[in-house]
Amino acid sequence: MSREILQKDRQLQVIHNQLVKKVLGALEDMKRDAAVEYQAFWDDFGPVIKEGLLAYDASDKDKLLELVMVPSTAHATQLTSLADYVGRMKEGQDANYYLTGPTREAVARSPLLEAFVDQGYEGLLLSDTVDEVVRERAPRVADKPWMSVGRGRVKVHAAEERKKAA
């Protein structure tokens, strides 16, 4: 029996879909009910979960994005979910701000973040090589695009300027 025949077999597709559904559900439960264990799991397998966004089946993209944890300027050591990050956004913030670098510590020490953080904005610290996959597969999170703090295009005063003009 050839591999192609097996890949197209309807029964195997049903088994695959049920396994994926079960695993994603178990991970969601672990994240919600056992945060410490999920953090340990994420430390070991986080990049693999992020790589899951490259799968040919995009139907599970939203569930995978709910599982993603990233460092941010809000917490020195804890990771945050994308949903929590969005929930803490400043009023009028029009993008998901991030900065990339080789390590979390190097990104956190970047002078590019100083003025940004001083004004109360939170940025995501993307140091994992697979973080680019997350940004490509989810070009918008909470209907807001990703915007790099390091590219010089972020205008943190834009919301305040709009309020003053009104």
Side-chain angles (χ1 to χ4, degrees):
M1 184 173 272
S2 73
R3 181 174 64 95
E4 289 180 21
I5 292 173
L6 283 175
Q7 286 176 330
K8 293 179 182 179
D9 185 57
R10 185 175 133 345
Q11 290 173 332
L12 287 179
Q13 285 299 320
V14 169
I15 292 170
H16 171 268
N17 292 339
Q18 290 300 317
L19 283 173
V20 168
K21 182 179 175 183
K22 193 76 161 169
V23 168
L24 291 178
L27 290 175
E28 287 173 15
D29 292 345
M30 181 192 291
K31 182 180 175 189
R32 182 184 61 246
D33 302 332
V36 174
E37 289 84 2
Y38 185 76
Q39 179 64 48
F41 173 83
W42 184 262
D43 290 342
D44 292 335
F45 298 104
V48 177
I49 300 293
K50 292 176 189 176
E51 287 175 358
L53 292 166
L54 287 173
Y56 61 91
D57 185 10
S59 65
D60 298 318
K61 179 179 84 168
D62 292 336
K63 289 182 182 178
L64 285 170
L65 284 174
E66 290 174 12
L67 296 172
V68 170
M69 302 291 286
V70 293
S72 81
T73 57
H75 303 287
T77 57
Q78 290 181 328
L79 299 178
T80 187
S81 69
L82 295 175
D84 290 342
Y85 167 75
V86 168
R88 290 190 301 265
M89 281 183 175
K90 274 183 90 168
E91 186 178 329
Q93 184 173 334
D94 57 355
N96 299 297
Y97 299 128
Y98 71 95
L99 186 63
T100 59
T103 65
R104 176 183 181 166
E105 293 77 23
V107 177
R109 287 190 317 262
S110 173
L112 296 169
L113 285 174
E114 287 177 17
F116 185 77
V117 172
D118 286 345
Q119 293 184 21
Y121 287 90
E122 179 179 357
L124 298 176
L125 310 174
L126 306 181
S127 59
D128 197 354
T129 55
V130 76
D131 285 333
E132 192 69 29
V133 171
V134 175
R135 290 189 321 100
E136 285 178 11
R137 290 298 184 163
R140 300 179 77 77
V141 175
D143 290 329
K144 297 174 191 260
W146 293 90
M147 186 166 295
S148 174
V149 173
R151 303 237 180 198
R153 291 183 267 169
V154 175
K155 295 186 177 154
V156 292
H157 297 293
E160 288 84 5
E161 291 173 6
R162 283 193 296 266
K163 286 180 185 177
K164 288 178 185 177

